[in-house]
């Protein structure tokens, strides 16, 4: 029989179109983190600090398996939030902040995490110690390969070392990288020059490396151009690249008041440009940011920086000049004086290619003392050219699916050098390269079975949209330094935010309820077509659109959409439906057990197991029995009548409030069903034997209060009848 751990493993769900069916957040995550699962597990945390901490470590372990850099991502990523189904309603679930809470608990544990077994397989070289290289090395280490990271700089981290400390504390970077190297038993060689007079790929081969992953990033800042020509004046004193400033600041090589009393102009519209502008502001500069893009982020020419970056910069006194290019850098006595800025009329052409057009009849001049150019980075291609890794067009020639170079087998290339993107996207390349290297060294086919199509699960109908919590930042006057200024969630806030997640994806790609032992496995719906009377109740009431009529009669189930609430079973008058693990016989046995074990007057509570989450050893009085069900809607009229027939004196149904119902409409439908039964019971004088209540999440005292009032009512009836 499969163990609980085995049953709790997520499964790949393929929908009717043959696509992998997942919540959009997970599809958007380059590393495919099981986001819905960790949200559900966070939502169900008990608030006792010690118990919660232990569960958080378990959640952290699951995330770490797919993303050993997740504590870093919790400060800088958020790609999943951009695709959250909630984003256009009241705002995306703040996944980044939730993962940061997990990271806070997980980092101390990570320092003690046991290492993987000693490597026994072939030697593999990873050139570049940024996010892509680190991820590839970790994955190969898990597979048992002897991995060496070759890095020319004095420390690992790559582009992570350019991110300002107020956004990403460097001690977090150090801790995460050191733990990754230790747990995966990765060898590191710093100060190693590859190419340009240093080691060659042939040298690595002679040293016994059987395959190589190259992830050298994009260390070369792009210069300013206008219509394909370099903008004059870049050599003037006071003109520099913003990327260089970020590096120097993080290395502690600049004065804290470097720009005091100076006007600083930053050119660029991405997040890195805002990093530079906000860094210059913290160094005392009167800072202005100039960008080609317009202010309207919904436009194709809209500014690419995140809303939070723009808002934060504006609060900090940084002026933003939109829709302006730079035609000329003007100096005086060899020093930067001002820039000549025509109005940018469009950034991208009709084909979506970067091709800015400017109106020179509309010109402004912006004066300053310092100009920081931050319009992107490029790779150093000399090494690739020298090693014969470029095609006839001078571009890196790789198979986009496997990342192997088409000109040199055994050489794989990825990360920003392939395409500039986010850290998590470089990490994805590291994962892809590791699988390719494993296949290559085993002599397997590199491409088979790797191309997948995905389809996003939509929001379920009847969803309740709770407001997105505001980010809490330190006041401007307190945050113009390099200390992190964004306040994280408390445990209570994290649980509340995790409960906002609508769990859009299929149950089998989540299985949080199985991992938490709410149920032994994800149940199947059993359908008896011979009993079906085609009433359509199940189709009408299903909150997930998982049931459709089929021709010529009957219904069909799409288990990729089903959330196993059991509502269809409760509303089926023909008893044509059953749910595995929660079948009528099972619930009937629980009713019999409760009736035999409780004292008079006997009270039976049907409780939604997603509601109050009491500790497992929580006891009620001797005359109260409790049956936990996957949803209050799973309680059928027949269950209540059976309980009364077996000697139960009163039945209480405890559900989530409608706005907190994990199944969206389960609480509402349960209440409707109970109200209908109460009318029938009133005809025979039994209406007071049934009570429906809702209990707010995390408030078991509300159930205690409802139960005590109901108990007094039943005892009064019992005393009168006795």
């Amino acid at each position: 029989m499969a163990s609980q751990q085995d049953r709790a493993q997520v499964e790949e769900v393929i929908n009717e179109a043959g696509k992998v069916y997942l919540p959009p957040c997970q599809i958007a995550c380059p590393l495919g983190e099981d986001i819905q699962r960790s949200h559900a597990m966070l939502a169900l945390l008990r608030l006792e600090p010690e118990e919660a901490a232990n569960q958080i470590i378990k959640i952290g372990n699951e995330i770490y398996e797919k993303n050993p850099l997740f504590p870093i991502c919790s400060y800088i990523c958020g790609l999943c939030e951009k695709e959250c189904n909630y984003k256009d309603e009241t705002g995306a679930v703040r996944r980044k902040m939730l993962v940061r809470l997990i990271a806070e608990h997980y980092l101390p544990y990570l320092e003690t995490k046991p290492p993987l077994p000693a490597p026994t397989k072939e030697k593999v070289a990873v050139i570049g110690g940024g996010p892509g290289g680190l991820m590839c090395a970790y994955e190969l280490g898990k597979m048992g390969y002897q991995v060496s990271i070759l890095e020319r700089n004095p420390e690992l981290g790559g582009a992570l070392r350019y991110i300002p400390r107020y956004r990403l504390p460097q001690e977090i970077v150090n801790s995460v990288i050191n733990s990754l190297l230790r747990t995966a038993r990765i060898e590191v060689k710093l100060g190693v020059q590859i190419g340009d007079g240093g080691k060659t790929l042939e040298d690595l081969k002679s040293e016994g490396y059987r395959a190589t992953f190259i992830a050298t990033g994009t260390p070369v800042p792009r210069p300013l151009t206008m219509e394909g020509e370099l903008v004059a004046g870049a050599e003037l004193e006071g003109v520099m690249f913003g990327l260089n400033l970020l590096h120097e600041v993080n290395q502690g090589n600049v004065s804290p008041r470097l720009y005091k009393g100076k006007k600083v102009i930053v050119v660029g519209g991405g997040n890195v440009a805002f990093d530079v502008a906000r860094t210059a502001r913290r160094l005392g500069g009167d800072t202005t940011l100039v960008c080609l893009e317009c202010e309207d982020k919904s436009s194709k020419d809209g500014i690419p920086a995140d809303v939070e970056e723009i808002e934060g910069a504006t609060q900090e006194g940084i002026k933003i000049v939109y829709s302006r290019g730079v035609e000329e850098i003007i100096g005086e006595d060899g020093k930067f004086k001002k820039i000549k800025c025509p109005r940018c009329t469009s950034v991208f052409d009709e084909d979506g290619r970067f091709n800015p057009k400017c109106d020179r009849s509309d010109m402004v001049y912006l004066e300053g003392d310092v100009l920081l150019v931050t319009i992107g980075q490029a790779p150093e291609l000399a090494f690739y050219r020298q090693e014969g890794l470029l095609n006839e067009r001078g571009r890196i020639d790789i198979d986009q699916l496997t990342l192997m170079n088409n000109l040199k087998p055994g050489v794989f290339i990825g990360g920003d050098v392939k395409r500039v993107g986010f850290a998590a996207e470089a990490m994805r390349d590291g994962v892809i390269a590791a699988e390719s290297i494993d296949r290559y060294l085993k002599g397997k086919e590199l491409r088979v079975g790797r191309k997948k199509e995905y389809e996003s699960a939509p929001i379920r109908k009847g969803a309740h949209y709770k407001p997105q919590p505001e980010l809490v930042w330190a006041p401007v006057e307190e945050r113009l330094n390099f200390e992190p200024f964004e306040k994280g969630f408390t445990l209570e806030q994290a649980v509340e935010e995790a409960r906002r997640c609508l769990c859009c994806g299929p149950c089998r790609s989540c299985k949080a309820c199985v991992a938490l032992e709410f149920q032994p496995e994800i149940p199947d719906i059993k359908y008896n077509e011979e009993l079906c009377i085609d009433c359509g109740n199940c189709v009408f009431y299903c909150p997930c659109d998982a049931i459709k009529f089929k021709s010529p009669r009957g219904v069909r189930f799409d288990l990729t959409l089903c959330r196993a609430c059991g509502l269809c079973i409760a509303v089926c008058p023909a008893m044509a439906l059953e749910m595995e693990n929660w079948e009528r016989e099972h619930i009937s046995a629980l009713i019999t057990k409760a009736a035999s074990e409780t004292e008079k007057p006997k009270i039976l509570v049907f409780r939604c197991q997603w509601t109050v989450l009491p500790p497992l050893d929580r006891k009620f009085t001797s005359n109260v029995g409790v049956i936990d069900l996957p949803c209050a809607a799973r309680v059928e009229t027949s269950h209540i009548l059976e309980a009364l027939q077996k000697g139960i004196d009163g039945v209480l149904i405890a559900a989530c409030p409608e706005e907190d119902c994990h199944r969206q409409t389960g609480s509402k439908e349960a209440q409707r069903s109970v109200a209908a039964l109460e009318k029938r019971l009133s005809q025979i004088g039994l209406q007071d034997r049934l009570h429906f209540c809702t209990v707010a999440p995390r408030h078991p005292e509300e159930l205690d209060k409802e139960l005590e009032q109901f108990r007094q009512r039943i005892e009064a009836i019992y005393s009168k009848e006795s």
Side-chain angles (χ1 to χ4, degrees):
M1 187 174 181
S3 68
Q4 181 70 30
Q5 185 176 2
D6 291 337
R7 290 194 298 267
Q9 295 299 311
V10 299
E11 299 174 35
E12 192 172 82
V13 176
I14 308 297
N15 68 6
E16 293 175 342
K19 297 180 180 180
V20 179
Y21 192 70
L22 286 170
C25 54
Q26 186 167 348
I27 294 174
C29 174
L31 297 165
E33 290 180 15
D34 298 309
I35 294 172
Q36 174 177 314
R37 177 180 170 99
S38 55
H39 282 182
M41 294 176 80
L42 279 172
L44 296 169
L45 283 178
R46 292 184 171 85
L47 297 182
E48 295 81 0
E50 190 171 333
E51 275 194 62
N54 291 333
Q55 186 62 35
I56 288 172
I57 297 301
K58 292 178 183 177
I59 300 171
N61 276 331
E62 288 194 1
I63 300 175
Y64 195 85
E65 272 299 299
K66 285 196 171 183
N67 180 5
L69 301 181
F70 83 81
I72 292 172
C73 292
S74 74
Y75 285 88
I76 65 171
C77 193
L79 287 174
C80 54
E81 294 181 24
K82 296 179 186 296
E83 297 301 325
C84 174
N85 272 335
Y86 231 130
K87 70 181 187 301
D88 296 326
E89 303 300 335
T90 55
V93 174
R94 293 200 184 277
R95 165 74 177 179
K96 192 164 69 169
M97 299 299 290
L98 293 176
V99 175
R100 194 176 304 176
L101 177 93
I102 296 170
E104 287 170 5
H105 287 79
Y106 196 75
L107 280 169
Y109 162 78
L110 186 53
E111 309 229 340
T112 67
K113 190 177 177 73
L116 297 167
T120 58
K121 296 181 181 178
E122 296 95 325
K123 290 174 66 176
V124 179
V126 173
I127 301 175
L134 289 166
M135 196 69 198
C136 181
Y138 174 76
E139 289 294 312
L140 289 169
K142 285 201 299 184
M143 297 174 193
Y145 290 98
Q146 302 174 62
V147 187
S148 298
I149 296 179
L150 313 177
E151 170 61 57
R152 69 177 177 180
N153 292 310
E155 58 185 354
L156 301 180
L160 300 175
R161 298 295 181 181
Y162 291 88
I163 299 171
R165 295 193 304 276
Y166 64 80
R167 274 188 64 206
L168 175 62
Q170 288 298 294
E171 57 268 23
I172 299 287
V173 178
N174 295 335
S175 174
V176 171
I177 291 178
N178 290 338
S179 294
L180 181 150
L181 298 174
R182 179 185 60 80
T183 56
R185 299 180 184 268
I186 298 164
E187 179 185 41
V188 177
K189 297 181 180 182
L190 299 174
V192 178
Q193 181 67 39
I194 304 292
D196 195 22
K199 287 182 181 290
T200 65
L201 293 180
E202 196 59 41
D203 291 334
L204 297 181
K205 192 179 292 186
S206 67
E207 292 173 15
Y209 294 105
R210 298 282 310 285
T212 303
F213 176 55
I214 307 173
T216 52
T218 51
V220 182
R222 291 188 184 278
L224 277 172
T225 60
M226 173 68 74
E227 296 181 350
E229 299 292 328
L230 287 174
V231 173
E235 75 289 346
L236 291 168
E237 182 183 336
V239 179
M240 66 181 291
F241 291 112
L243 206 62
N244 295 343
L245 173 69
L246 295 178
H247 182 263
E248 292 300 311
V249 170
N250 268 359
Q251 296 301 310
N253 295 335
V254 302
S255 163
R257 306 303 292 168
L258 177 67
Y259 294 138
K260 185 177 181 181
K262 293 184 178 181
K263 289 184 177 180
V264 180
I265 300 175
V266 177
V267 181
N271 283 340
V272 178
F274 275 84
D275 284 347
V276 171
R278 297 176 77 177
T279 294
R281 181 75 184 94
R282 282 161 171 74
L283 296 173
D286 177 4
T287 307
T288 299
L289 182 140
V290 183
C291 60
L292 290 166
E293 297 86 4
C294 66
E295 186 174 3
D296 180 8
K297 283 184 67 66
S298 66
S299 164
K300 72 177 178 67
D301 292 332
I303 186 168
D306 292 341
V307 171
E308 288 84 2
E309 287 294 325
I310 299 168
E311 182 182 345
T314 304
Q315 289 178 6
E316 291 163 10
I318 295 167
K319 297 176 283 294
I320 304 174
V321 178
Y322 293 97
S323 300
R324 291 285 168 182
V326 177
E327 182 179 276
E328 185 182 1
I329 304 170
I330 302 169
E332 192 175 284
D333 298 327
K335 295 182 179 180
F336 167 65
K337 185 70 176 177
K338 57 188 174 183
I339 51 175
K340 185 179 181 181
C341 302
R343 183 171 67 87
C344 180
T345 55
S346 67
V347 180
F348 299 95
D349 62 23
E350 292 180 357
D351 296 325
R353 291 174 299 194
F354 181 74
N355 187 19
K357 299 297 180 186
C358 291
D359 178 4
R360 286 181 169 81
S361 68
D362 184 346
M363 194 77 69
V364 298
Y365 291 83
L366 299 175
E367 296 189 357
D369 304 297
V370 177
L371 181 67
L372 299 171
V373 179
T374 317
I375 58 170
Q377 301 93 249
E380 290 177 332
L381 291 179
F383 163 68
Y384 296 88
R385 189 175 298 109
Q386 178 185 322
E387 291 287 349
L389 301 171
L390 305 182
N391 60 22
E392 63 278 1
R393 299 172 64 189
R395 295 180 179 173
I396 294 172
D397 194 346
I398 59 172
D399 182 304
Q400 295 295 327
L401 183 63
T402 69
L403 302 185
M404 187 163 80
N405 186 263
N406 291 321
L407 305 172
K408 283 201 175 182
V411 176
F412 302 81
I413 303 171
D416 279 359
V417 70
K418 175 174 73 82
R419 186 181 70 85
V420 177
F422 294 89
E425 292 172 326
M427 291 157 62
R428 173 180 57 200
D429 281 0
V431 175
I432 292 170
E435 182 178 346
S436 294
I437 289 169
D438 181 51
R439 290 187 180 205
Y440 172 78
L441 293 177
K442 290 176 176 175
K444 293 183 176 180
E445 216 287 327
L446 265 61
R447 297 178 59 84
V448 68
R450 297 181 71 176
K451 190 170 184 179
K452 296 178 180 179
E453 290 188 73
Y454 294 89
E455 184 170 326
S456 293
I459 294 179
R460 284 175 276 163
K461 66 181 183 183
H464 292 276
Y465 303 114
K466 299 178 185 177
Q468 184 188 54
E470 295 287 332
L471 292 174
V472 180
W473 293 343
V476 172
E477 60 273 13
E478 296 177 14
R479 75 174 190 241
L480 288 179
N481 52 46
F482 288 92
E483 296 300 315
F485 62 83
E486 190 173 66
K487 296 185 179 178
F489 284 155
T490 64
L491 178 60
E492 290 82 359
Q493 288 170 331
V495 166
E496 188 63 27
E497 178 63 357
R499 287 188 72 93
R500 226 169 45 97
C501 177
L502 294 171
C503 296
C504 309
C507 290
R508 293 184 189 279
S509 69
C510 172
K511 292 193 178 179
C513 57
V514 179
L516 295 167
E517 300 185 13
F518 271 24
Q519 51 188 351
E521 56 190 325
I522 302 297
D524 283 329
I525 301 294
K526 298 175 181 177
Y527 169 53
N528 188 330
E529 189 169 355
E530 292 181 2
L531 294 177
C532 179
I533 59 173
D534 294 318
C535 67
N537 272 9
C538 57
V539 177
F540 179 79
Y541 285 109
C542 176
C544 312
D545 284 330
I547 312 174
K548 306 288 184 188
F549 284 111
K550 67 179 183 181
S551 180
R553 64 177 301 275
V555 294
R556 61 184 176 84
F557 291 80
D558 184 349
L559 294 180
T560 63
L561 298 176
C562 176
R563 297 298 178 270
C565 63
L567 178 55
C568 57
I569 300 167
V571 298
C572 176
M575 302 183 79
L577 300 172
E578 276 283 23
M579 187 194 298
E580 190 179 19
N581 303 320
W582 296 106
E583 64 274 4
R584 290 181 181 86
E585 289 80 2
H586 175 60
I587 297 175
S588 179
L590 293 175
I591 293 171
T592 301
K593 185 172 184 288
S596 64
E597 292 180 354
T598 53
E599 299 176 0
K600 280 286 189 178
K602 300 175 184 285
I603 295 173
L604 178 60
V605 178
F606 287 105
R607 180 176 58 187
C608 171
Q609 60 188 175
W610 291 85
T611 175
V612 294
L613 302 172
L616 295 177
D617 59 352
R618 186 168 184 261
K619 301 294 184 184
F620 291 98
T621 56
S622 58
N623 69 327
V624 176
V626 178
I627 297 177
D628 284 331
L629 294 171
C631 180
R634 182 66 186 88
V635 182
E636 300 176 41
T637 298
S638 60
H639 296 144
I640 298 169
L641 295 175
E642 180 182 358
L644 296 175
Q645 289 168 357
K646 289 182 176 177
I648 296 294
D649 297 290
V651 175
L652 183 146
I653 297 171
C656 302
E658 188 176 336
E659 66 274 12
D660 278 305
C661 180
H662 183 71
R663 315 291 184 177
Q664 311 306 327
T665 61
S667 178
K668 175 183 176 182
E669 296 304 331
Q671 186 170 10
R672 181 192 60 78
S673 177
V674 168
L677 180 58
E678 279 183 319
K679 287 183 180 179
R680 290 166 58 189
L681 291 175
S682 66
Q683 296 172 357
I684 53 175
L686 295 177
Q687 66 273 17
D688 291 332
R689 306 295 184 110
L690 181 61
H691 180 59
F692 176 91
C693 68
T694 59
V695 180
R698 309 289 160 190
H699 289 282
E701 73 280 358
E702 292 183 9
L703 178 58
D704 292 339
K705 183 178 177 181
E706 292 278 356
L707 183 56
E708 176 58 24
Q709 292 175 351
F710 185 60
R711 186 182 62 79
Q712 291 177 11
R713 184 206 303 178
I714 296 301
E715 286 183 350
I717 295 172
Y718 182 73
S719 297
K720 191 180 297 184
E721 291 178 348
S722 299

